[in-house]
């Protein structure tokens, strides 16, 4: 996400980190690079000027110029300004208690992804323990009602729909239906147009008056850049927005929308859509996005993803196996599958410090898929004991997986090296144990971080046990 601006800012941060002294000339040159990067990202001109002026003013202060490590101090200033531009802190939905109905009104132009965002939000609220219901009030776009119905069925959330042409009536009656059936959150999917017009606004104003929503959320396409800011201003003037959901954040969007919205409109970005799947829907954390843009990664979000996808019992089981050096090919296969559940490899890479901005295609993802196919072509007995896989079995496995015997041999050698490394690591109770304790992990889980999954040290079962408070404190210190 935001690949171009991330690449530019990562380069700036690396350059600054290598400087033992920072002069006014350094500051001016760096700020000029930042200015061009923001303008190329389609950030609002007023926002760019404010960012540049405040950065120069603070960076030229005596406190920075006389600091022990000026490069890191200047980087910290850029980071803080970026966080402020994105919205300072995470904002939550302001929903009422479970005994009363909370209405969320979804607005936006046609094609922005309102219907998809509505079902993703419903799925998130359902997971959080609420009882959401979707209301189909987009009676303009063909098949919009049917699309919402299918998405609702997919996540197990009911959809209120009536075969009439009155969206306002549908919205009003959906509230009554929710009250009678015990649903505490009603998400209303409204109609959009290719552009803002009076008919659309008039209908939305009536719906808002009839339903009294606690949240009025604009769903905007992050690829539209500054246009998203103009659209937000128009909706806000007539309907009073409470927040924004940015869709297609995983695209090659330049970043203008995300970096301009809060400053210009004053409305917080609450969620971002990061893919097509239901689970590709993240809470917007300004400090984490700023960290990603500056190439610092986002370990906290990475761990949260692991904790959501890895079963606690399975993680404990894996920990015990690592302690006893009983890691098998079946365990390796399960690691591959756990990583896939965490989302696209590109989204994972963007969260790893030092790898932000790297294209996932640069990694040997084909190798991972090939190894997965090879293991799946083995019998369960072979997966549990790789030593029984002789020449004839290797030929059969290669044929079944569409690979070569050389590929099978390579995987088995890789697996044996991994086991050996885990054994060595498990015996080293010194520096590694202390490091793991700092992260809130059991030192015995260090073996799980060693690359058993073939992904450069990413083991979801190990991430499962991290202490989030300690991790967040460490992340702040690193910045």
């Amino acid at each position: 996400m935001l690949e171009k601006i991330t690449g530019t800012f990562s380069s700036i941060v690396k350059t600054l980190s290598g400087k033992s002294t920072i002069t006014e000339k350094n500051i001016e040159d760096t700020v000029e690079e930042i200015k061009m990067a923001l303008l190329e990202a389609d950030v609002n001109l007023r926002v760019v000027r404010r960012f540049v002026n405040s950065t120069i003013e603070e960076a030229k202060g005596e406190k920075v110029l006389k600091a022990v490590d000026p490069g890191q101090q200047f980087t910290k200033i850029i980071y803080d300004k970026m966080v402020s531009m994105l919205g300072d802190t995470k904002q939550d939905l302001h929903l009422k208690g479970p005994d009363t109905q909370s209405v969320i009104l979804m607005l936006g132009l046609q094609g922005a992804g309102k219907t998809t965002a509505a079902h993703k939000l419903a799925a998130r609220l359902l997971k959080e323990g609420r009882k959401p219901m979707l209301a189909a009030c987009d009676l303009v776009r063909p098949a919009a009602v049917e699309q919402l119905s299918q998405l609702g069925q997919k996540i197990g959330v009911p959809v209120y729909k009536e075969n009439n042409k009155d969206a306002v009536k549908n919205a009003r009656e959906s509230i009554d239906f929710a009250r009678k059936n015990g649903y505490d959150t009603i998400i209303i999917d409204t109609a959009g147009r290719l552009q803002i017009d009076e008919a659309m606004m008039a209908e939305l104003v009536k719906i808002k008056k009839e339903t009294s929503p606690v949240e009025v959320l604009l769903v905007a396409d992050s690829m539209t850049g500054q246009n998203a800011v103009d659209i937000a201003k128009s909706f806000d003037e007539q309907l009073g927005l409470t927040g924004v959901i940015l869709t297609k954040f995983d695209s090659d969007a330049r970043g203008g929308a995300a970096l301009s919205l809060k400053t210009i409109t004053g409305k917080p970005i609450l969620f971002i859509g990061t893919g097509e799947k239901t689970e590709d829907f993240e809470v917007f954390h300004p400090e984490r996005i700023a960290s990603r843009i500056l190439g610092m990664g986002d370990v906290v979000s990475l761990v949260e993803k692991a904790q959501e996808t890895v079963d606690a019992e399975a993680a404990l089981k894996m920990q015990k196996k690592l302690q006893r050096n009983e890691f098998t090919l079946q365990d390796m296969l399960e690691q591959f599958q756990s990583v896939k559940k965490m989302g696209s490899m590109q989204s994972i890479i963007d969260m790893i410090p030092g790898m932000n901005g790297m294209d996932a295609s640069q990694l040997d993802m084909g190798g991972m898929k090939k190894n997965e196919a090879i293991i799946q072509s083995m019998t369960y007995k072979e997966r549990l004991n790789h030593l029984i896989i002789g020449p004839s079995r290797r030929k059969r496995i290669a044929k079944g997986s569409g690979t070569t015997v050389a590929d099978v041999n390579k995987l088995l050698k890789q697996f044996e090296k991994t086991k050996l490394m885990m054994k060595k690591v498990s015996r080293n109770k010194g520096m590694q144990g202390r490091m793991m304790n700092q992260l809130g992990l059991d030192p015995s889980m260090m073996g799980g971080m060693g690359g058993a999954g073939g992904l450069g040290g990413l083991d979801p079962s190990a991430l499962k046990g991290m202490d989030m408070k300690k991790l967040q404190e460490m992340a702040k210190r690193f910045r």
Side-chain angles (χ1 to χ4, degrees):
M1 58 181 70
L2 310 179
E3 287 89 352
K4 190 169 184 179
I5 191 171
T6 295
T8 304
F9 270 94
S10 295
S11 176
I12 291 171
V13 168
K14 285 177 183 176
T15 302
L16 288 174
S17 300
K19 293 186 181 296
S20 57
T21 59
I22 296 291
T23 65
E24 290 197 9
K25 180 69 165 60
N26 293 147
I27 292 171
E28 289 170 1
D29 291 345
T30 302
V31 168
E32 185 62 26
E33 283 187 67
I34 293 172
K35 177 182 174 182
M36 294 307 299
L38 293 175
L39 290 174
E40 287 177 5
D42 199 24
V43 178
N44 184 277
L45 184 58
R46 199 169 88 196
V47 177
V48 174
R49 285 174 179 163
R50 188 179 301 181
F51 185 94
V52 167
N53 292 338
S54 61
T55 301
I56 290 176
E57 183 180 349
E58 190 167 339
K60 286 187 176 180
E62 285 187 23
K63 182 180 178 182
V64 173
L65 294 176
K66 293 181 180 180
V68 177
D69 193 339
Q72 289 186 4
Q73 288 285 327
F74 192 16
T75 300
K76 180 65 164 59
I77 290 172
I78 295 172
Y79 168 78
D80 289 341
K81 298 298 179 186
M82 185 72 71
V83 172
S84 178
M85 189 193 305
L86 289 166
D88 289 318
T89 58
K90 172 182 77 74
Q91 299 291 318
D92 296 317
L93 291 171
H94 297 90
L95 303 179
K96 299 177 183 178
D99 296 331
T100 54
Q101 276 66 46
S102 296
V103 178
I104 301 174
L105 191 59
M106 307 284 279
L107 316 173
L109 296 185
Q110 191 169 309
K114 281 193 308 301
T115 303
T116 303
H119 106 276
K120 287 181 177 181
L121 178 57
R124 173 172 282 274
L125 294 176
L126 184 66
K127 195 172 182 180
E128 292 174 357
R130 295 191 70 90
K131 292 185 65 179
M133 186 193 83
L134 292 160
C137 295
D138 180 356
L139 307 179
V140 175
R141 181 170 63 88
V145 174
E146 182 58 30
Q147 181 190 2
L148 190 66
S149 297
Q150 290 182 5
L151 291 172
Q153 185 177 8
K154 176 184 173 184
I155 60 174
V157 171
V159 177
Y160 182 83
K161 54 182 179 178
E162 289 295 329
N163 295 319
N164 61 51
K165 297 181 180 180
D166 190 341
V168 179
K169 182 181 178 183
N170 269 11
R172 181 176 61 247
E173 292 180 349
S174 71
I175 309 298
D176 295 333
F177 180 86
R179 188 178 297 111
K180 291 175 183 176
N181 292 276
Y183 297 107
D184 57 31
T185 312
I186 304 97
I187 302 172
I188 301 177
D189 180 30
T190 62
R193 304 287 195 283
L194 294 176
Q195 59 187 15
I196 295 171
D197 60 31
E198 291 183 9
M200 176 184 69
M201 283 298 184
E203 181 178 274
L204 293 174
V205 168
K206 289 179 182 177
I207 291 176
K208 182 183 178 184
K209 185 178 180 180
E210 290 286 344
T211 61
S212 301
V214 295
E215 293 284 358
V216 181
L217 305 182
L218 174 71
V219 180
D221 184 340
S222 61
M223 294 181 70
T224 58
Q226 283 194 58
N227 285 340
V229 179
D230 297 331
I231 293 166
K233 287 171 66 177
S234 297
F235 274 100
D236 186 43
E237 287 170 1
Q238 299 198 49
L239 292 151
L241 299 178
T242 59
V244 179
I245 297 174
L246 277 181
T247 60
K248 306 175 187 176
F249 211 73
D250 57 320
S251 65
D252 58 353
R254 290 180 288 174
L259 293 167
S260 304
L261 267 166
K262 183 63 170 66
T263 303
I264 298 299
T265 68
K267 308 303 174 184
I269 300 171
L270 301 179
F271 302 97
I272 51 176
T274 57
E276 297 179 1
K277 298 178 181 177
T278 300
E279 59 271 21
D280 295 334
F281 192 68
E282 299 178 13
V283 174
F284 187 81
H285 293 267
E287 71 282 3
R288 299 186 193 181
I289 298 298
S291 184
R292 292 193 210 182
I293 289 175
L294 296 180
M296 300 174 183
D298 183 5
V299 178
V300 177
S301 291
L302 179 61
V303 172
E304 284 180 350
K305 272 183 174 287
Q307 291 180 334
E308 288 175 4
T309 57
V310 178
D311 179 74
E313 188 176 336
L316 181 61
K317 183 180 177 183
M318 179 65 72
Q319 179 183 349
K320 290 180 178 178
K321 282 194 171 189
L322 294 173
Q323 288 173 334
R324 298 192 297 262
N325 194 30
E326 294 177 356
F327 188 77
T328 68
L329 285 165
Q330 177 64 28
D331 297 322
M332 180 181 273
L333 177 63
E334 289 172 2
Q335 280 196 357
F336 288 148
Q337 294 168 343
S338 292
V339 170
K340 285 163 68 176
K341 288 179 184 177
M342 290 172 64
S344 69
M345 187 51 60
Q346 186 64 60
S347 68
I348 294 173
I349 287 173
D350 287 343
M351 295 180 197
I352 300 174
M355 295 184 72
N356 197 300
M358 178 184 285
D359 187 349
S361 63
Q362 295 175 24
L363 300 180
D364 184 17
M365 298 309 298
M368 176 179 164
K369 292 178 181 178
K370 184 189 292 183
N371 288 343
E372 187 176 3
I374 291 172
I375 298 174
Q376 288 176 328
S377 295
M378 297 177 185
T379 65
Y380 189 67
K381 188 176 180 181
E382 288 169 341
R383 295 179 199 175
L384 295 182
N385 182 10
H386 70 289
L387 296 176
I388 68 172
I389 305 177
S392 61
R393 289 177 183 262
R394 296 184 189 207
K395 287 182 181 179
R396 190 204 77 242
I397 292 167
K399 186 176 180 181
S401 59
T403 60
T404 64
V405 173
D407 291 326
V408 177
N409 291 338
K410 184 179 178 182
L411 170 64
L412 293 174
K413 284 181 182 178
Q414 176 190 334
F415 175 73
E416 288 173 347
K417 285 181 180 178
T418 299
K419 285 201 70 172
L420 181 62
M421 180 215 41
M422 285 181 172
K423 188 175 181 180
K424 289 180 179 179
V425 171
S426 65
R427 290 177 178 176
N428 189 339
K429 306 295 183 182
M431 179 186 70
Q432 293 150 338
R434 290 192 296 272
M435 182 180 73
M436 298 298 279
N437 279 325
Q438 284 291 315
L439 289 171
L441 278 166
D442 185 330
S444 64
M445 294 178 71
M446 187 65 191
M449 302 296 284
L455 293 169
L458 178 60
D459 178 6
S461 66
L463 294 173
K464 180 71 179 179
M466 283 196 175
D467 184 312
M468 294 303 295
K469 287 186 178 179
K470 288 185 180 180
L471 187 61
Q472 288 169 339
E473 287 171 5
M474 285 190 71
K476 287 179 181 178
R477 290 203 297 273
F478 286 140
R479 291 170 189 145

